[in-house]
Amino acid sequence: MTRFSLGKWLLPLYSALALIFLLVPIVYTFVFSFNASVKSNIVWVGFTWDNWLNVCADASVCGAFGTSILVGVTATVAATALGTLMALALSRYKFRARSAVSLLLFLPMATPEIVLGAGLAAQFLSAGVPKGFVTIVIAHTLFCLSFVVVTVKARVASLDPALEEAGRDLYGSSAQVFWRITFPLLLPGITAAALLSFALSFDDFIITRFNNGAVTTFPVYVYTAAARGVPAEANVIASAVFLLAIILVVVSQTTQAARRKRLAKLS
Amino acid sequence: MAAGTFAEAGADLELVGITKRFPGFTAIEDLDLTIPAGSFFALLGPSGCGKTTTLRLVAGLEQPTAGRILIGGKDVTNVKPFKRPVNTVFQSYALFPHMTVLENVAFGLRRRRIGDPLGKAHEALRLVELDHLASRKPQQLSGGQQQRVALARAVVNRPALLLLDEPLGALDLKLRRQMQLELKTIQNEVGLTFLHVTHDQEEAMTMADTVAVMNRGEIEQMGAPEELYELPKTAFVANFLGQSNLFTGTVTSSSGATIVVEVAGVKLEVPKERAQRHAGEVTIGVRPEKLLLHTTAPKKAAGLNILGPGRVTDVSFSGVSTQYQVVIPGVGPVSVFAQNMVFGPVVNEGAEVWVTWTVDHGFGLLDEPEPGPKFASDTDTRTIAVQTRDELLAEIEEA
Amino acid sequence: MAFAAFGSSAAPVEQAPRKKSWIAWVLLAPGLAYLALFFLTPFVSLILTSLQAPVEFGDVGQYQTAFKIENYATVIEQYWPHFLRAFGYALVATFFALVISYPLAYFIGVTARKWPLLQALMLTLVIAPFFISFLLRTLAWKQLMSDDTPLVHALKALSILPPDGHLTGTAFSVIFGLTYNFIPFMTLPIYTNLERLDTRYLEAGADLYAKPSTTFWKVTVPLSMPGIVSGTLLTFIPASGDFINASSTFLGSAQTQMVGNAIEANFLNLLNYPAASAMSVILMALILVIVGIYVKRSGTEDLL
């Protein structure tokens, strides 16, 4: 009801301005990926396709990007596997210390990243573990884990337990019921959790900063380069990732909308 | 309503030429309605007939596309809902989940800065016998209790007009009866004007002094419950309010106090003052409980309508009465309700019977008869199956 | 989004969980082991490290186990302004993020309900910043606010900014950056909550003589409290530990350093591990206390 909106035009206008505000630096980053800059990409020189065509001219940008992808995939697989099992246990079984486990999973989300990063770094230091790819993956898996559990748990909670009961009623063994009923129904939640994990890992800097050693991820590259000027190639990679993600979101949403429309037509 | 004061008494409500269009459809078309102060008025109709929209228009939660709304003679068409002397008992109750029962009831009083809101809220809760639960949260109450809180929350404001949106819908039978009684008592005590919207004909008839039957955004008929039941003017009213047996035929004579209608070769009489139209094709009807079953051909008598012979196709026992479906060749199925005066049904399925009724019990409708054979009066699946089978058999024979 | 789930975990549908608890422990074991090894023990390491003392005549960065509780006194004495700035900036940024996000979330979640396509589009735009490196976004702001931009010239012309003033490197730019970076974290949980808001409560409010503004403060805001609490926590906690926005290469300067910068510098540049660890422990403790009090006062304990 428009009656309850804070003024008829004020609210839409305010929302539009807020969204524009959110998009300003994104547009800036995108525009400057076409800047014909030489070293630092601060002043607009002129338009060029070169940065997009020769992204890997500066090998270090592409190398960092590759490392980020590798870290992201590894951490996502680990966190999704561990987290899904925990989510199933938490939402489908009764055991003592359930609330204690839930609290333990909540704490990493309530801890500032810098404390997580410094803690792990202190741990690796005292254990004498050299920092590098493995320590980055360990750190990323840690902060993704809680988000996976929360996302998958929400999905399990929305499942009707009667579906599994129906599976068992129809002569399904426990394993069959899990793989043929529970798992397919959980898959959207697990996928969402994995995508979220990857996004979190890909963009993480603070925790990585404390545990990367000599390995350079994309955010680490940007941070180091920031002092003397980030090359336009970094803007190209960030913009490309952004466009890809937006396309994925739009495609999934339009197919969902189309499916809903078809279902509505059928009923 | 001025802040800090209660309405002195119920106010009358007047809707003038109200039309409400939503994108894609028209909910209400040119509706005129006057509800006198202090009355208990029910808007009765099937879902989608526009009754809830009417209520929301009165409450100010929707704006009419055209027309005016007057409460107590004052035009409130453009008055915001929070300034109207109207309160609603919502279908979903809409009790604020973050407030206690007491705070819910005191909410309206506080907004209007009426003195001693908590005292008055307690008083209203005592009225619905829930004062002992005042400090609970709404979700800790049962459906019936929530309903009573919603009622208290509305009544405590002493609105000039109280709107009830199917408030008893979610309750079980016993609670409904209790609540119906409670509503009636409150209305008598407080003297407010009640506008009650419902699809339940029994609820409307037992509670309201005036019932308006609504269909497709228009009021089909309005009057006291007995009047609506005794003399429905349209086929819709005749079938929505209880059941009716309807017959269509041509008026053959209209001399004297009755009109004579020929239905499938049989002459049926209806008193003139109970018939809306006295010439041409008309639809006449009679309530199933007014019919008598005979196993032998009854003697023709003045003031008696006879149909038959027909065959009993269905007998269903419902405690107080037994319902018989009788198929009369050329006329179609007829329902008969018979009081269970003896143990077991009077006749069995397949029996040959005649039905009779006193001429005074018939009524004639205003409707133009619809094309097609008859108004199918509440046909059961069995009868339909039998009919379809007969039709199919006839087709096969023809071929 | 899980940011939303953060808030919605307040009301999980409890499904009669099954008995066989040993299966649960089997499922939990790998995850619990992981958390024990890489979340709980690091805390212990952190506390132990924070009490270490330098090795006598050792190199820079060489420490030995000790019980040097003075480390805490030292860092508090040296870095209390950093703590103050961290919490002060985070608080102000959380406030502005809420002010910007709530109406936006309300519009997407309530007003735009009638237009699902608009709703989906706006939601995509809200999460769009997640898809592009936040370091680059922050750098973009730095360049947009740097001394030679039209914005700064305009502000100087209007004498809002003194002729020798800067936008970057000030408390303003740091808070601005923090606010900007955490708006999605604030908007999403509030949106998830408001999206489920039953507008019939608003109608009931109007029916009971409440002006739209009264209905908003007395009904809408209390009902969306769980969303507000998760949004503010998701903003305040990371903002208070942030060191990007306040760093000199981004939006800050030496005068705007937050405790995050102090921890980073001590751990990675000065190799003063005990000091960095002590500050981390203090930061964590303060956050737990603040969050505990906040959650208690806002009456949403069941969120945890």
Side-chain angles (χ1 to χ4, degrees):
Chain A
M1 286 222 52
T2 40
R3 187 183 300 286
F4 299 111
S5 56
L6 313 168
K8 221 173 168 97
W9 289 106
L10 203 63
L11 187 58
L13 192 73
Y14 191 94
S15 307
L17 286 176
L19 285 179
I20 290 171
F21 175 59
L22 277 179
L23 296 181
V24 165
I26 298 177
V27 173
Y28 179 93
T29 306
F30 184 70
V31 169
F32 271 74
S33 74
F34 295 102
N35 191 12
S37 60
V38 184
K39 191 90 185 132
S40 80
N41 188 12
I42 293 174
V43 186
W44 182 256
V45 180
F47 180 88
T48 177
W49 288 104
D50 283 358
N51 306 324
W52 281 79
L53 296 174
N54 309 311
V55 194
C56 290
D58 181 358
S60 54
V61 186
C62 278
F65 177 68
T67 310
S68 271
I69 298 275
L70 205 59
V71 168
V73 170
T74 324
T76 297
V77 170
T80 309
L82 294 175
T84 304
L85 295 181
M86 293 189 93
L88 278 172
L90 280 172
S91 46
R92 279 297 155 91
Y93 294 92
K94 188 187 244 165
F95 53 93
R96 264 179 290 165
R98 209 168 91 169
S99 51
V101 173
S102 297
L103 183 69
L104 181 62
L105 279 163
F106 173 80
L107 275 177
M109 290 194 286
T111 309
E113 285 183 72
I114 194 163
V115 177
L116 285 181
L120 272 171
Q123 162 110 329
F124 294 137
L125 191 74
S126 58
V129 178
K131 290 194 266 189
F133 183 82
V134 177
T135 51
I136 300 178
V137 171
I138 288 175
H140 285 205
T141 307
L142 174 68
F143 67 74
C144 291
L145 184 62
S146 297
F147 284 99
V148 171
V149 175
V150 169
T151 313
V152 177
K153 223 172 92 180
R155 180 74 196 175
V156 181
S158 71
L159 278 193
D160 187 352
L163 293 172
E164 293 179 356
E165 281 161 14
R168 255 174 285 138
D169 180 59
L170 296 166
Y171 316 107
S173 69
S174 302
Q176 284 170 329
V177 167
F178 180 79
W179 287 112
R180 290 181 178 271
I181 292 162
T182 316
F183 187 73
L185 288 172
L186 287 186
L187 206 53
I190 296 173
T191 315
L195 288 175
L196 180 71
S197 291
F198 185 81
L200 288 172
S201 163
F202 187 80
D203 201 25
D204 178 77
F205 172 69
I206 293 181
I207 297 181
T208 315
R209 169 89 174 124
F210 280 84
N211 296 290
N212 69 326
V215 176
T216 306
T217 62
F218 184 65
V220 171
Y221 175 85
V222 173
Y223 184 79
T224 334
R228 48 193 161 79
V230 180
E233 283 81 4
N235 292 40
V236 173
I237 286 178
S239 305
V241 170
F242 175 78
L243 291 178
L244 189 73
I246 288 289
I247 288 169
L248 275 178
V249 169
V250 169
V251 165
S252 83
Q253 279 193 348
T254 42
T255 46
Q256 260 175 28
R259 194 180 306 155
R260 238 175 286 141
K261 222 177 208 170
R262 225 174 332 146
L263 281 176
K265 222 177 250 171
L266 281 176
S267 57
Chain B
M1 201 185 312
T5 53
F6 281 134
E8 300 285 303
D12 47 354
L13 168 71
E14 208 177 329
L15 303 183
V16 186
I18 290 288
T19 297
K20 176 68 184 173
R21 288 194 193 90
F22 289 104
F25 72 102
T26 302
I28 299 167
E29 187 74 64
D30 198 20
L31 179 76
D32 290 304
L33 180 67
T34 305
I35 298 174
S39 65
F40 198 126
F41 192 94
L43 261 183
L44 175 67
S47 55
C49 72
K51 58 185 194 302
T52 298
T53 307
T54 310
L55 197 86
R56 292 173 61 83
L57 287 169
V58 174
L61 301 172
E62 303 278 356
Q63 275 296 305
T65 315
R68 290 184 306 138
I69 299 167
L70 295 96
I71 295 173
K74 258 194 273 173
D75 192 331
V76 296
T77 318
N78 294 315
V79 175
K80 298 240 185 290
F82 59 93
K83 288 186 180 148
R84 294 195 188 190
V86 168
N87 284 112
T88 311
V89 180
F90 290 87
Q91 188 174 9
S92 62
Y93 314 144
L95 297 176
F96 301 126
H98 58 294
M99 296 179 193
T100 61
V101 165
L102 186 69
E103 278 305 324
N104 261 286
V105 178
F107 188 90
L109 299 173
R110 287 196 195 279
R111 300 288 83 73
R112 287 169 56 208
R113 305 188 195 295
I114 282 169
D116 189 22
L118 291 182
K120 291 196 171 71
H122 275 299
E123 210 173 294
L125 282 170
R126 272 195 289 278
L127 188 67
V128 294
E129 292 172 9
L130 280 178
D131 200 28
H132 59 293
L133 301 179
S135 55
R136 295 255 185 109
K137 288 278 176 77
Q139 54 273 32
Q140 294 169 307
L141 305 185
S142 72
Q145 289 168 337
Q146 288 186 24
Q147 203 279 329
R148 278 144 74 188
V149 175
L151 186 63
R153 186 176 74 170
V155 168
V156 74
N157 301 299
R158 294 291 164 88
L161 182 61
L162 187 70
L163 307 176
L164 302 140
D165 186 4
E166 308 232 5
L168 310 181
L171 306 184
D172 64 46
L173 195 70
K174 209 181 138 201
L175 265 173
R176 281 177 85 108
R177 291 269 180 277
Q178 227 171 300
M179 284 314 306
Q180 287 179 359
L181 210 72
E182 216 146 335
L183 278 177
K184 264 301 225 205
T185 317
I186 288 171
Q187 206 239 348
N188 288 340
E189 271 173 27
V190 189
L192 311 172
T193 311
F194 276 48
L195 173 54
H196 185 184
V197 151
T198 179
H199 67 273
D200 184 331
Q201 44 129 337
E202 201 207 316
E203 194 175 298
M205 293 212 282
T206 48
M207 293 170 72
D209 346 303
T210 313
V211 176
V213 181
M214 222 175 160
N215 187 29
R216 294 191 200 136
E218 283 169 18
I219 288 180
E220 293 247 341
Q221 192 176 353
M222 195 169 105
E226 311 82 53
E227 188 189 322
L228 288 186
Y229 190 79
E230 269 303 311
L231 270 180
K233 282 186 186 156
T234 65
F236 179 81
V237 176
N239 280 322
F240 195 78
L241 238 69
Q243 294 183 32
S244 296
N245 293 304
L246 300 178
F247 315 103
T248 302
T250 316
V251 176
T252 53
S253 87
S254 65
S255 54
T258 61
I259 56 167
V260 178
V261 181
E262 194 175 303
V263 177
V266 186
K267 287 186 162 37
L268 298 174
E269 281 183 70
V270 178
K272 262 192 181 160
E273 80 262 16
R274 291 175 63 89
Q276 305 298 323
R277 298 192 300 127
H278 297 163
E281 280 273 285
V282 294
T283 300
I284 58 167
V286 64
R287 295 286 182 184
E289 73 275 10
K290 303 284 165 60
L291 299 183
L292 286 175
L293 277 182
H294 304 269
T295 47
T296 54
K299 271 192 213 116
K300 284 197 175 154
L304 194 69
N305 286 324
I306 305 173
L307 275 178
R311 217 159 271 287
V312 177
T313 58
D314 192 58
V315 179
S316 56
F317 177 75
S318 67
V320 183
S321 64
T322 303
Q323 182 178 0
Y324 299 93
Q325 280 291 331
V326 179
V327 172
I328 295 164
V331 177
V334 172
S335 322
V336 180
F337 290 163
Q339 292 281 316
N340 286 325
M341 308 290 276
V342 291
F343 184 77
V346 183
V347 291
N348 288 316
E349 253 184 87
E352 190 183 54
V353 291
W354 285 259
V355 293
T356 64
W357 70 92
T358 316
V359 167
D360 289 344
H361 286 151
F363 51 82
L365 301 181
L366 191 64
D367 292 1
E368 293 289 333
E370 279 178 28
K374 290 283 164 311
F375 289 98
S377 67
D378 234 28
T379 351
D380 61 332
T381 46
R382 180 94 183 255
T383 324
I384 294 170
V386 169
Q387 274 177 343
T388 327
R389 193 167 155 268
D390 289 348
E391 277 165 26
L392 284 171
L393 279 176
E395 264 176 49
I396 292 167
E397 267 169 35
E398 271 171 38
Chain C
M1 271 331 263
F3 304 102
F6 199 146
S8 66
S9 67
V13 185
E14 284 298 329
Q15 306 179 346
R18 288 181 224 138
K19 295 260 157 61
K20 295 182 205 156
S21 66
W22 64 270
I23 299 185
W25 287 113
V26 170
L27 294 174
L28 286 173
L32 285 181
Y34 196 92
L35 286 174
L37 206 55
F38 299 117
F39 180 64
L40 292 183
T41 33
F43 267 116
V44 179
S45 299
L46 209 55
I47 293 168
L48 289 179
T49 311
S50 72
L51 298 169
Q52 281 175 347
V55 175
E56 258 181 287
F57 314 115
D59 276 343
V60 177
Q62 279 194 310
Y63 294 89
Q64 62 191 10
T65 313
F67 191 73
K68 203 176 163 209
I69 199 106
E70 305 94 88
N71 284 344
Y72 284 86
T74 315
V75 293
I76 290 173
E77 200 181 328
Q78 193 177 351
Y79 291 108
W80 65 266
H82 293 68
F83 279 102
L84 218 57
R85 274 196 289 265
F87 288 114
Y89 291 175
L91 197 68
V92 178
T94 305
F95 172 77
F96 281 114
L98 180 64
V99 168
I100 294 171
S101 296
Y102 198 97
L104 178 63
Y106 187 94
F107 184 80
I108 304 176
V110 182
T111 316
R113 273 183 203 176
K114 289 168 276 182
W115 308 290
L117 214 62
L118 177 71
Q119 210 177 13
L121 175 77
M122 293 185 78
L123 215 52
T124 310
L125 291 179
V126 169
I127 58 171
F130 285 134
F131 301 138
I132 196 158
S133 167
F134 95 101
L135 293 175
L136 282 177
R137 277 185 281 128
T138 313
L139 278 179
W141 277 124
K142 178 188 182 173
Q143 275 146 35
L144 286 167
M145 292 197 285
S146 63
D147 291 348
D148 240 0
T149 53
L151 177 70
V152 174
H153 287 307
L155 289 177
K156 281 182 181 166
L158 293 168
S159 341
I160 295 172
L161 206 63
D164 57 342
H166 306 281
L167 267 186
T168 51
T170 60
F172 167 80
S173 61
V174 174
I175 292 170
F176 180 94
L178 288 171
T179 307
Y180 171 80
N181 276 315
F182 291 104
I183 285 175
F185 292 86
M186 183 70 91
T187 308
L188 284 177
I190 299 179
Y191 157 78
T192 326
N193 184 285
L194 284 175
E195 202 249 328
R196 289 178 309 201
L197 177 76
D198 191 340
T199 47
R200 288 179 294 192
Y201 292 131
L202 311 188
E203 294 185 345
D207 185 66
L208 293 165
Y209 315 104
K211 291 189 297 257
S213 60
T214 316
T215 306
F216 177 76
W217 289 111
K218 296 267 175 195
V219 181
T220 314
V221 170
L223 284 177
S224 55
M225 213 51 200
I228 296 175
V229 171
S230 5
T232 44
L233 288 182
L234 279 172
T235 302
F236 182 79
I237 296 173
S240 58
D242 184 83
F243 65 82
I244 303 298
N245 290 283
S247 96
S248 309
T249 31
F250 288 80
L251 295 166
S253 65
Q255 283 75 47
T256 64
Q257 303 285 289
M258 293 163 63
V259 70
N261 302 87
I263 294 175
E264 190 217 10
N266 272 288
F267 208 110
L268 298 168
N269 302 336
L270 307 173
L271 304 185
N272 188 350
Y273 307 121
S277 303
M279 280 188 277
S280 301
V281 172
I282 297 172
L283 175 64
M284 186 68 209
L286 286 175
I287 281 180
L288 283 181
V289 169
I290 292 170
V291 169
I293 293 172
Y294 176 57
V295 169
K296 196 134 228 153
R297 295 222 29 196
S298 61
T300 43
E301 288 100 325
D302 33 340
L303 197 79
L304 304 175

